[in-house]
Amino acid sequence: MDTRFTYKHFVNENTFSLLVPIFEVTLLFAVLLLIIVIIKRVSIWFCLLFASLSVIVTGQLLWFSGIIADELNLGGNSKTFYYFVAILLIHCATIWISLMKSSKHEKIPQHSVEI
């Protein structure tokens, strides 16, 4: 019997693992963005846009993988949840570092107080 087009290729140890590579690539891009923000100054708007899109997409993937695993009577993959939490924390750190770097470079005018 030909099983190329069944869900058995998406299952490892009775857990749904089809979407794990997408989480890994997103985690890789989050780490690369963090390294870029540490090395050089990046626009806060770019960091916010990339972080929000990345977190929304991985959150939806986590939700959908749970629905698919439930429909196929498989166990959920806890690794994808940990990937999601890691991506969320890395993006929070990236935004925080970008905010700190942008606030350092702003010059606040100093006024002398005359008595």
Side-chain angles (χ1 to χ4, degrees):
M1 184 167 139
D2 189 17
T3 61
R4 286 183 294 175
F5 302 110
T6 63
Y7 69 88
K8 294 189 187 317
H9 292 286
F10 308 140
V11 178
N12 292 333
E13 299 171 4
N14 205 26
T15 59
F16 183 69
S17 61
L18 176 67
L19 301 176
V20 172
I22 299 172
F23 282 96
E24 291 171 350
V25 168
T26 308
L27 182 64
L28 176 70
F29 282 135
V31 170
L32 286 175
L33 181 64
L34 179 65
I35 291 170
I36 290 171
V37 166
I38 290 172
I39 292 173
K40 61 187 284 189
R41 187 172 173 219
V42 179
S43 171
I44 186 66
W45 296 110
F46 175 75
C47 291
L48 282 172
L49 178 69
F50 185 76
S52 62
L53 287 175
S54 176
V55 168
I56 288 170
V57 167
T58 54
Q60 285 182 336
L61 282 175
L62 183 65
W63 182 266
F64 293 150
S65 68
I67 292 172
I68 293 170
D70 186 46
E71 289 294 324
L72 296 175
N73 291 326
L74 299 171
N77 194 350
S78 62
K79 188 174 15 173
T80 56
F81 175 72
Y82 293 127
Y83 280 148
F84 175 72
V85 171
I87 290 167
L88 183 66
L89 292 175
I90 289 172
H91 281 310
C92 288
T94 302
I95 292 170
W96 183 73
I97 291 171
S98 180
L99 279 171
M100 292 298 119
K101 281 186 146 186
S102 68
S103 67
K104 260 192 215 178
H105 293 293
E106 291 179 11
K107 294 188 177 183
I108 301 172
Q110 300 293 325
H111 299 289
S112 61
V113 178
E114 294 181 21
I115 300 178

